[in-house]
Amino acid sequence: MSKKSQNYILHILGCLLFISIPVLSSPDFNTNTELMKLAPFRQTFFKFVLLLCFFYVNYLYIIPRFYFSKKYFYFVISIVICFCIIAYLPHYLIPFKGYHGRTPLEDDMPMPPPGSGFNPRNGGPFPFMHFAFGGSLLQVLLVFSLSFLLRVNQRLSDIESEKLKTQVSYLRAQINPHFLFNTLNSLYALALEKSEAAPEAILKLSGMMRYVVTESDREHVALENEIKYIQNYISLQKLRMDDNTCLNFTTKGDTGGKYISPLLLIPFIENAFKYGLNPEEKSAIEVHLAISEKHLSLRVKNNKVNITLPYDEKSGHGLENTRMRLQYLYPDKHNLSIFDTPETFEVQLTITLV
């Protein structure tokens, strides 16, 4: 169930619970009396309906339209108007004069002691309810406070969400250019050697760039396309390997009907080639992908070799950026473990697929 559906259900349950308050707190709730025939109950019930309407009018319109726009005068006027409607409309439409104008159903009720100010119909099985919602002013203040706090909290959540989305887009922009630099270097080496593998490499590079341009902005992409991108990347890296490099790349499992956030796995694989590939040393890189019905597992391991990298590539921001993306895109749906030893670097990632 989506978060939006859960919110709808919570609102519906909240409305039903709120409307049930005048019913459950009525002194005639456990009797055979038809509540809707009692003027005081109709008056109270109508007031609660108005309070519920006020909650959503304030939540959906008044606060966003006037308060967030800093139109505080119109905001206050709107609240005052709503208060006047809630306080006086039920009494105007459903007049009730107390014991001097009782309906026939109320004739059997005992008269209150003179001067006590006690009205039996203000009691009931839940007297604290009447204390909490005793007057129109208190009722409106409570409903207003609840709607205001919920709306402000929702706005803060929306702002944080937009901030995270912007940050993720920025992180993607940071990651993508590095792929291009690596593959262009490989193509440059092939061009110098006039290798026959150059046309195939260009086609693979073209496929990678097309994937980055057309798919990277989407929330989810087909898992088989993401894996094909990884396969093309590794194929281009193979072109600059020699006999000193041992590469073990495996994939198993069915990718059909499964989706993943784009360019989420490649930084771990790119990191292995960046720090684990040196033609002058014995290099070993392992990349293993396993797909089950609901999960994807990635294991990447490389031997650490002596390499010289430009200063801007030594920061390690790529992995940190990917950590942040995982926390945002797959909260409580991923497990990332990193094992860093003097000789090897290993990443184990498990993701719950959508």
Side-chain angles (χ1 to χ4, degrees), residues 9-297:
I9 293 175
L10 287 176
H11 276 275
I12 292 172
L13 293 177
C15 292
L16 294 176
L17 179 62
F18 185 78
I19 290 297
S20 70
I21 291 176
V23 177
L24 297 176
S25 61
S26 171
D28 299 291
F29 175 65
N30 292 321
T31 67
N32 293 325
T33 305
E34 294 185 30
L35 296 179
M36 280 301 176
K37 291 184 177 181
L38 300 175
F41 173 79
R42 294 200 308 272
Q43 191 180 90
T44 302
F45 187 81
F46 182 46
K47 181 179 289 187
F48 271 72
V49 172
L50 290 177
L51 286 168
L52 186 62
C53 294
F54 169 63
F55 174 89
Y56 283 103
V57 168
N58 192 43
Y59 181 86
L60 298 173
Y61 182 79
I62 296 177
I63 296 176
R65 181 69 179 272
F66 299 130
Y67 183 80
F68 291 157
S69 301
K70 297 184 179 180
K71 299 177 181 179
Y72 300 123
F73 175 77
Y74 296 103
F75 176 69
V76 174
I77 292 298
S78 300
I79 299 301
V80 171
I81 292 174
C82 289
F83 167 72
C84 293
I85 293 174
I86 294 169
Y88 297 108
L89 189 61
H91 297 278
Y92 178 77
L93 296 179
I94 310 174
F96 171 58
K97 299 179 181 180
Y99 288 93
H100 297 289
R102 291 181 295 168
T103 63
L105 285 172
E106 295 163 343
D107 287 337
D108 295 332
M109 295 178 61
M111 293 293 290
S116 66
F118 174 76
N119 187 337
R121 296 209 172 274
N122 287 338
F126 302 101
F128 66 90
M129 290 292 186
H130 293 283
F131 175 78
F133 298 93
S136 296
L137 179 60
L138 181 58
Q139 292 171 347
V140 171
L141 285 176
L142 288 173
V143 173
F144 167 79
S145 299
L146 180 60
S147 61
F148 184 82
L149 291 175
L150 290 176
R151 189 58 173 148
V152 170
N153 182 68
Q154 180 63 44
R155 181 173 176 84
L156 292 175
S157 298
D158 291 342
I159 291 174
E160 185 65 21
S161 178
E162 289 300 320
K163 180 180 177 182
L164 287 172
K165 288 179 180 178
T166 302
Q167 189 176 38
V168 168
S169 298
Y170 173 71
L171 296 180
R172 285 175 176 169
Q174 282 185 308
I175 294 171
N176 294 343
H178 199 77
F179 300 152
L180 179 60
F181 299 149
N182 282 345
T183 51
L184 285 177
N185 286 335
S186 299
L187 285 175
Y188 178 70
L190 290 174
L192 291 177
E193 298 173 0
K194 297 182 180 180
S195 171
E196 295 180 357
E200 181 182 357
I202 292 174
L203 286 176
K204 290 180 178 179
L205 174 60
S206 174
M208 291 175 64
M209 294 302 100
R210 185 182 301 109
Y211 181 79
V212 169
V213 171
T214 61
E215 305 289 336
S216 63
D217 288 337
R218 298 186 181 183
E219 185 175 356
H220 295 99
V221 296
L223 180 59
E224 56 186 344
N225 293 338
E226 180 77 2
I227 292 179
K228 184 177 180 180
Y229 180 88
I230 292 172
Q231 291 171 336
N232 286 339
Y233 177 84
I234 292 178
S235 295
L236 290 173
Q237 293 295 341
K238 283 182 179 180
L239 297 175
R240 62 189 185 95
M241 293 179 185
D242 55 21
D243 294 337
N244 286 332
T245 302
C246 177
L247 174 64
N248 186 5
F249 173 50
T250 63
T251 61
K252 64 178 182 179
D254 182 19
T255 60
K258 298 178 177 65
Y259 296 86
I260 191 172
S261 179
L263 304 176
L264 190 64
L265 306 177
I266 195 66
F268 298 113
I269 300 169
E270 180 196 29
N271 189 75
F273 282 96
K274 183 192 296 185
Y275 294 101
L277 190 60
N278 185 348
E280 299 179 358
E281 294 185 41
K282 190 69 175 180
S283 304
I285 298 174
E286 298 180 31
V287 180
H288 302 289
L289 276 165
I291 300 100
S292 62
E293 183 177 354
K294 295 183 179 180
H295 298 88
L296 176 144
S297 298

Side-chain angles (χ1 to χ4, degrees), residues 314-327:
K314 295 180 180 179
S315 62
H317 287 165
L319 291 183
E320 186 59 31
N321 291 344
T322 306
R323 281 181 184 269
M324 295 174 63
R325 289 186 64 200
L326 282 167
Q327 291 173 3

